Amino acid sequence: MALIRNYGTLACFFALVLLFWVLLPGTFMSGRNLLNISQQVSMLAVTAIAMTIVMAMGDYDLSSGSMASLAGVVAAVVFRETGSDGASLVLALALGIAGGLLNGFLVSYVGILPFVATLGTLTIFSGLAFLLAGGKTIFGSDIPQSFGAFARGGVPLWHDGNAVIVLPNLTIVAILTLLVVWFILQRMVFGRHLRAIGGSSEAARLAGIDVKRTRLIAFALAGLGAAAAGLMYMSRVASANPTQGAGLMLDAIAAVFLGMTMHAHGEPRVVNTLVGGLFLGVLSNGLTQLSVDSYVRDILVGSIIILAVAASGLEKLQRN
């Protein structure tokens, strides 16, 4: 069971890649498509990696998707009113931190369960996004051109004979997020505190850890990640819609759970979360190229979450 737990998800990932390689010869494994997958996964990766911070404590943030939508709408509205790219960026990211602080305050200082608290803020953020957008998609001149230019740009990697292949800027943002959060969780005292709280919040408190403050900061970082993902999505599609981040939350949780199956003790780790995100990205890309209905993907993602949690439960039962 331990072997399946540690390597089963990784084996399934490579098996999935191999399957689509066979079914889609000449297109799926092309350099251009692989970079396209990396760009498609980048928003999910940023959200899931930030979610890993909260889930390291054993908590959840159900509001990440609606925060991503709200951040994109706020950036567009601020730009429409001020014409300032910088103000749009700063205020949208600040909103993410504020939303995360609200979640952390409700969980840590009010004592509401994370599931209930973030379910409530999910509805609040979603309602605010619809209110600010007037229930419509914002596009055209209300979207900062610099955002779209950034999303379309990248760092040149190689020349494939016809065009220069570049590493997309959005992928670079995801990689930088991975490195920063990995450093926080693996090399900083704060990361050790998160894992201690995840083991036992009461034991962590008795050990002198400020559990409430740590939780507050963790949720703030998760909110920042969700807002950043929302800005990335808005930049990529050149529009802001009150529902555009709706699918990010479930996919992010699925990615973290998939990553947890790759650790001996079921702990959330950012590199493993990235693999989980890539698994979902490859699945979506392959199914899209095969013209499979998007609802089939939803069924598969839901099944993946159940299997990941089941694998964790079976391993715990075996250890006990």
Side-chain angles (χ1 to χ4, degrees):
M1 177 62 70
L3 184 64
I4 295 175
R5 178 179 178 82
N6 294 339
Y7 300 104
T9 299
L10 195 60
C12 288
F13 170 69
F14 286 116
L16 189 66
V17 171
L18 181 61
L19 174 64
F20 287 135
W21 191 0
V22 172
L23 295 177
L24 298 164
T27 59
F28 183 77
M29 289 299 290
S30 66
R32 189 171 299 278
N33 187 58
L34 293 178
L35 289 176
N36 184 46
I37 292 175
S38 75
Q39 190 175 36
Q40 291 172 343
V41 170
S42 60
M43 287 78 74
L44 169 60
V46 169
T47 307
I49 289 169
M51 180 84 74
T52 304
I53 299 174
V54 171
M55 291 184 69
M57 303 183 297
D59 294 339
Y60 300 91
D61 182 3
L62 302 183
S63 69
S64 57
S66 58
M67 172 52 71
S69 299
L70 179 58
V73 169
V74 165
V77 171
V78 170
F79 180 75
R80 182 175 62 197
E81 298 298 326
T82 67
S84 171
D85 299 11
S88 298
L89 176 66
V90 171
L91 288 178
L93 293 178
L95 175 69
I97 295 174
L101 288 172
L102 174 61
N103 287 332
F105 175 78
L106 293 174
V107 172
S108 300
Y109 294 92
V110 180
I112 303 176
L113 292 174
F115 181 88
V116 178
T118 59
L119 181 61
T121 55
L122 178 157
T123 307
I124 293 172
F125 298 156
S126 179
L128 286 173
F130 274 99
L131 181 65
L132 291 173
K136 301 177 181 178
T137 299
I138 303 174
F139 58 92
S141 60
D142 291 335
I143 304 298
Q145 292 186 1
S146 61
F147 284 31
F150 178 81
R152 292 189 299 271
V155 176
L157 292 180
W158 72 85
H159 195 287
D160 69 353
N162 297 317
V164 177
I165 304 299
V166 301
L167 181 65
N169 285 332
L170 296 184
T171 303
I172 295 174
V173 172
I175 293 172
L176 292 176
T177 302
L178 171 71
L179 294 175
V180 170
V181 175
W182 177 86
F183 183 80
I184 290 173
L185 293 181
Q186 301 300 321
R187 292 292 183 264
M188 293 182 66
V189 174
F190 178 73
R192 293 198 291 273
H193 287 177
L194 290 175
R195 292 194 295 276
I197 294 171
S200 171
S201 59
E202 181 61 20
R205 185 186 66 80
L206 294 175
I209 297 173
D210 189 335
V211 175
K212 293 182 178 180
R213 180 172 175 272
T214 302
R215 270 205 168 101
L216 189 70
I217 296 173
F219 275 101
L221 292 174
L224 175 61
L231 290 177
M232 293 165 68
Y233 196 95
M234 182 200 72
S235 302
R236 186 167 185 263
V237 300
S239 64
N241 185 287
T243 63
Q244 65 188 17
L248 278 177
M249 179 268 291
L250 286 177
D251 282 357
I253 291 177
V256 178
F257 272 130
L258 281 171
M260 288 169 63
T261 66
M262 297 170 59
H263 188 271
H265 302 292
E267 294 180 6
R269 296 292 177 94
V270 290
V271 175
N272 296 353
T273 294
L274 179 62
V275 174
L278 287 172
F279 186 103
L280 298 177
V282 166
L283 181 65
S284 294
N285 183 273
L287 292 177
T288 298
Q289 291 193 54
L290 291 172
S291 300
V292 176
D293 197 307
S294 62
Y295 295 116
V296 174
R297 178 197 176 278
D298 294 338
I299 294 172
L300 290 174
V301 170
S303 301
I304 288 169
I305 294 176
I306 293 172
L307 290 173
V309 176
S312 176
L314 287 173
E315 176 66 15
K316 288 179 180 179
L317 286 174
Q318 189 182 59
R319 288 203 304 267
N320 294 333

